[in-house]
Amino acid sequence: MFIEKNTKIKQVIVTAGENFNGIIFSLKSLKDVVQKSSGTIKNRLMFGEFNYPRDPTCTYFKNVSHMITDLFLDGNNLICEIETLNTPKGKILEEIIERNEEEIALKMQGKLISPVADLPKINQFYLHSVYVIIKDK
């Protein structure tokens, strides 16, 4: 059996405070995401898609390109590590990473919960997955 080496990358996916969309993530909400996701990630059961997912609440296995292998806080930064998989989309992603890792961005996919409707402050965040996109230039 031939096992190929899969590519791994790490990136900051969100920082505590206000992001470019005006959403405010508390440090506590990011700590909760790490804690709640740790078992799924440890058991290698969190997968992501290449490109924007059609459904933000579901990962379609035909589009899976990578596995989330680590999620941790470094100060106020939530950092994610992914590993490409030996799937058609994973091979495309791997090729893009090998050519220029700076071209891709990791983005969170999940459900935001605000304590009061229409407020940008996030009380809780349920991480479903992390997807990969090519950055706009």
Side-chain angles (χ1 to χ4, degrees):
M1 178 199 248
F2 177 74
I3 300 174
E4 295 183 31
K5 178 184 171 284
N6 294 337
T7 302
K8 285 189 172 191
I9 63 165
K10 281 184 195 173
Q11 277 187 8
V12 174
I13 55 175
V14 72
T15 299
E18 189 171 349
N19 73 4
F20 66 95
N21 287 334
I23 298 172
I24 302 165
F25 287 92
S26 69
L27 186 57
K28 182 189 178 318
S29 70
L30 299 182
K31 287 178 181 177
D32 289 347
V33 165
V34 171
Q35 190 259 333
K36 290 175 184 173
S37 303
S38 64
T40 305
I41 293 169
K42 181 181 175 189
N43 291 320
R44 300 178 63 84
L45 294 172
M46 188 177 285
F47 302 94
E49 296 184 26
F50 179 53
N51 215 345
Y52 290 98
R54 289 185 308 164
D55 181 347
T57 63
C58 181
T59 300
Y60 291 93
F61 286 107
K62 69 180 182 178
N63 297 327
V64 165
S65 60
H66 59 278
M67 176 186 312
I68 291 79
T69 55
D70 200 3
L71 187 70
F72 61 94
L73 279 169
D74 182 15
N76 286 339
N77 294 321
L78 181 61
I79 298 174
C80 180
E81 178 183 74
I82 66 165
E83 178 181 325
T84 59
L85 296 173
N86 188 16
T87 63
K89 302 276 180 153
K91 291 300 170 191
I92 293 168
L93 176 58
E94 196 165 282
E95 182 70 25
I96 291 167
I97 292 169
E98 287 176 7
R99 288 178 187 225
N100 185 0
E101 183 178 322
E102 300 300 314
E103 288 185 17
I104 68 159
L106 303 181
K107 301 289 183 180
M108 296 189 305
Q109 176 183 356
K111 182 176 182 180
L112 303 174
I113 299 175
S114 178
V116 179
D118 300 328
L119 283 182
K121 185 169 183 180
I122 301 307
N123 208 21
Q124 293 177 307
F125 180 75
Y126 294 99
L127 183 69
H128 171 70
S129 184
V130 174
Y131 63 95
V132 178
I133 61 167
I134 297 176
K135 292 179 184 175
D136 291 334
K137 296 201 178 196

